[in-house]
Amino acid sequence: MIRTNITLILVYFLGIIFIPALAQEVVIELGPDEIALNETFSVKVTISNDKIKSYNEFPDIAGFQKQGISQSSSMNVINGQVSSTNSIIQYYKPLRKGEVTLGPFAIKINGQDYSSSGKKITVVDARAPQRQSNVFDPFDDMFGRSREEPEFIEIEDEAFFASSVDKTEVYVGEGFNVSLAFYMSETNQAPFQFYEPGKQLDGILKKMKPSNAWEENFNITNIQPEKVTFNGKNWIKYKVYEATFFPFSEGEITLPPISWEMIKYKVAKNPSFFGSNRLEDFKTFYSSAKSIKVKPLPPHPLKNEVSVGTYQLRENITQFEANTGEGFTYNFGISGEGNINSISAPKTNQIHKLNTFDPNVRQQVNRGMGRISGIKEFNYYLTVNEPGEIKLADHFEWIYFDPVLSKYDTLRPKAIINVTGESKVNQAISNQRLGGIYDLIEVESNKLSYERYKYYFSIFINLLLAGSVILLAVLIMRKGNG
């Protein structure tokens, strides 16, 4: 008898290793037609001779609340033939009495859709629980397993969810970084899994994003673990969102408390080799609110137009010698940390010595290390009309506000161009001016200016009317005499 049992065990475990390729079969089982308020309804999906590698959401049932998901597996050896089944079960708790219809639905298992026609479910009053008989398993006694349903318990966790900001006070136009992350200590024993992070973020950002600020999203597509240390303890950080905001106006920006739901598994109190040793459950974490004060920029004629950040000039020019009337290119690049998108072209001082044309613009924005940086380049085509030394600093300047130094600053070129040849200033002027009346268009007022002639015009009209009356009277008198 002992030898027979040993042989059976060997066949069983060898069968686990050498499972022949059998046809995959998926069955969807629905719970009973009638359940009580204190009972649960279930939708069970069983797959034969394969593992459940992926599945989508189970259907929602009106009048029921999803309770959790459990998984189980089993294996049979019959005449040396090994077969396996894997199941996943969604539990539902009824919320009220009555008749409910579970309509037709489909579930995607391992990338393939499987459908069910649904059914009608009747929910009745709560009733006393009845002990269900267990099906005898010949391996129970062999492995010392109990035939009772497993008991699941919740393990205390060392985890939290937090929103973080790198600054609590900024100037208008100055960026502040916001991140959302889930933290677990390295010693945490509770099993967690992310639950629909993309869908949760969509709802969170609709409430969290300030309406009066420009957003530069870091576009996190993969949630990666990162080891961090604070308060003398090691933590694993899972960042789910990061962005830098640049406020448009002064005041206060408030980030509300944020809720984040995680799948937290309950574990079997007495784990066994067979069946499921954990039960899917949910836990919601909450972050605290954050406030950022936005200060106005100091007084300046261009305070509403300048960019805010820490910037440097990166000019690029390869031609320092030119002839009058000939063109060359000059690149005015602004690099640094700030809202690169808001950088405007430098101010150009137009004089007859130098002609500029609208620049070609190129920009590059870098998002990383909790900051927004990059470069914006303005590529000009220039022509010089008079010989001599041309300092580009006399013709280009870019004013900005440095929030670190709390002052305005100006970027000016250092390049100097040596120009040779005959003066072509007059030619440049004639090409640019239309002359005569057109020169007055820009300086003359477009308002009607008849006020100074109003008095004389009124006298003239009155005299004309009086003369008309006298003439009419003379004509009438002559006609009467005749």
Side-chain angles (χ1 to χ4, degrees):
M1 182 65 180
I2 295 176
R3 181 176 299 174
T4 302
N5 288 341
I6 294 174
T7 302
L8 186 57
I9 294 172
L10 289 175
V11 170
Y12 187 87
F13 283 102
L14 286 174
I16 295 176
I17 300 173
F18 302 105
I19 299 177
L22 299 176
Q24 174 179 306
E25 182 183 353
V26 174
V27 177
I28 299 178
E29 300 178 51
L30 305 180
D33 297 340
E34 182 181 287
I35 63 169
L37 278 172
N38 58 340
E39 297 174 344
T40 57
F41 182 80
S42 65
V43 176
K44 180 179 181 181
V45 178
T46 302
I47 184 171
S48 302
N49 306 311
D50 198 359
K51 294 182 179 179
I52 299 179
K53 306 178 187 69
S54 64
Y55 61 93
N56 63 351
E57 284 192 53
F58 281 76
D60 293 323
I61 306 177
F64 285 76
Q65 182 181 28
K66 288 182 178 179
Q67 286 295 97
I69 293 178
S70 67
Q71 297 187 22
S72 63
S73 60
S74 63
M75 193 167 294
N76 298 316
V77 182
I78 302 175
N79 297 326
Q81 182 71 39
V82 180
S83 62
S84 66
T85 59
N86 287 274
S87 300
I88 183 167
I89 308 170
Q90 172 71 66
Y91 296 99
Y92 298 83
K93 177 184 177 181
L95 302 177
R96 56 181 179 271
K97 294 191 301 179
E99 189 174 86
V100 176
T101 300
L102 170 59
F105 64 91
I107 299 178
K108 189 182 292 293
I109 303 294
N110 295 346
Q112 187 173 346
D113 288 327
Y114 297 91
S115 59
S116 170
S117 58
K119 69 184 311 180
K120 290 187 177 180
I121 310 164
T122 302
V123 182
V124 299
D125 289 322
R127 53 194 175 203
Q130 297 180 356
R131 185 172 181 176
Q132 298 180 352
S133 60
N134 293 315
V135 178
F136 175 73
D137 186 343
F139 291 101
D140 284 347
D141 295 335
M142 181 183 301
F143 293 100
R145 290 189 301 157
S146 170
R147 293 191 298 271
E148 296 180 356
E149 290 293 324
E151 180 183 354
F152 295 95
I153 58 174
E154 183 176 355
I155 298 177
E156 287 292 326
D157 58 74
E158 291 183 283
F160 65 94
F161 183 77
S163 60
S164 305
V165 295
D166 64 338
K167 301 171 187 174
T168 57
E169 188 175 271
V170 296
Y171 285 100
V172 171
E174 180 186 359
F176 63 92
N177 184 268
V178 177
S179 66
L180 305 176
F182 179 72
Y183 295 81
M184 281 195 310
S185 74
E186 284 191 330
T187 57
N188 174 71
Q189 297 296 319
F192 281 104
Q193 182 175 318
F194 283 94
Y195 174 68
E196 297 183 346
K199 185 177 180 180
Q200 289 194 70
L201 272 178
D202 287 343
I204 289 172
L205 297 183
K206 289 177 182 177
K207 301 176 182 178
M208 189 192 76
K209 282 184 181 179
S211 59
N212 61 334
W214 174 272
E215 179 198 17
E216 284 287 351
N217 196 321
F218 283 58
N219 295 319
I220 296 175
T221 54
N222 294 314
I223 302 176
Q224 299 292 338
E226 176 188 353
K227 186 175 180 180
V228 295
T229 301
F230 53 86
N231 296 331
K233 195 169 185 177
N234 294 330
W235 298 82
I236 306 299
K237 177 181 178 181
Y238 298 89
K239 190 183 297 182
V240 298
Y241 172 78
E242 184 175 12
T244 295
F245 292 100
F246 299 91
F248 299 137
S249 57
E250 61 183 286
E252 186 174 76
I253 293 177
T254 301
L255 303 180
I258 297 168
S259 62
W260 185 259
E261 194 171 28
M262 295 287 292
I263 298 175
K264 182 181 179 182
Y265 292 97
K266 293 181 179 181
V267 298
K269 187 174 182 180
N270 298 306
S272 63
F273 181 79
F274 297 88
S276 174
N277 287 322
R278 65 180 189 177
L279 178 66
E280 184 180 284
D281 202 356
F282 295 90
K283 181 172 181 177
T284 302
F285 296 85
Y286 297 90
S287 69
S288 57
K290 296 287 187 297
S291 294
I292 300 91
K293 180 182 178 182
V294 183
K295 303 179 293 183
L297 296 180
H300 190 277
L302 301 175
K303 65 176 290 186
N304 296 323
E305 301 176 22
V306 299
S307 294
V308 179
T310 55
Y311 297 106
Q312 307 82 37
L313 174 61
R314 285 176 54 180
E315 55 181 332
N316 183 18
I317 184 171
T318 58
Q319 186 177 345
F320 294 91
E321 304 287 338
N323 293 323
T324 54
E326 293 183 356
F328 62 94
T329 58
Y330 170 68
N331 187 284
F332 190 101
I334 303 166
S335 67
E337 182 179 343
N339 189 357
I340 306 299
N341 283 284
S342 70
I343 294 176
S344 57
K347 181 182 177 183
T348 56
N349 300 316
Q350 296 282 3
I351 60 174
H352 297 309
K353 283 187 177 181
L354 182 68
N355 292 328
T356 63
F357 299 88
D358 290 339
N360 295 321
V361 182
R362 185 189 73 87
Q363 77 175 24
Q364 177 181 331
V365 180
N366 304 316
R367 304 170 183 86
M369 305 298 292
R371 65 192 188 103
I372 300 295
S373 61
I375 184 171
K376 196 163 190 175
E377 296 177 331
F378 300 89
N379 196 45
Y380 289 90
Y381 182 78
L382 309 175
T383 59
V384 184
N385 302 313
E386 190 170 334
E389 187 179 76
I390 301 296
K391 295 180 179 179
L392 294 185
D394 296 334
H395 305 286
F396 294 92
E397 66 177 18
W398 189 74
I399 301 173
Y400 70 101
F401 180 78
D402 188 330
V404 177
L405 302 177
S406 297
K407 69 174 187 177
Y408 294 90
D409 204 348
T410 304
L411 299 181
R412 291 188 176 90
K414 296 181 179 180
I416 300 175
I417 311 300
N418 293 316
V419 183
T420 58
E422 297 181 357
S423 175
K424 297 189 178 182
V425 172
N426 293 332
Q427 179 181 345
I429 293 174
S430 64
N431 289 337
Q432 292 178 3
R433 293 179 58 196
L434 296 175
I437 191 173
Y438 298 101
D439 289 338
L440 300 176
I441 291 177
E442 297 297 329
V443 295
E444 285 296 323
S445 172
N446 61 354
K447 295 183 179 179
L448 295 176
S449 55
Y450 64 86
E451 292 292 334
R452 55 185 173 177
Y453 304 111
K454 184 176 181 180
Y455 175 74
Y456 301 105
F457 183 75
S458 298
I459 293 175
F460 174 76
I461 293 298
N462 290 331
L463 291 174
L464 184 63
L465 290 174
S468 299
V469 172
I470 293 171
L471 180 62
L472 182 61
V474 171
L475 293 175
I476 293 172
M477 289 175 64
R478 285 182 178 180
K479 185 176 181 182
N481 292 330

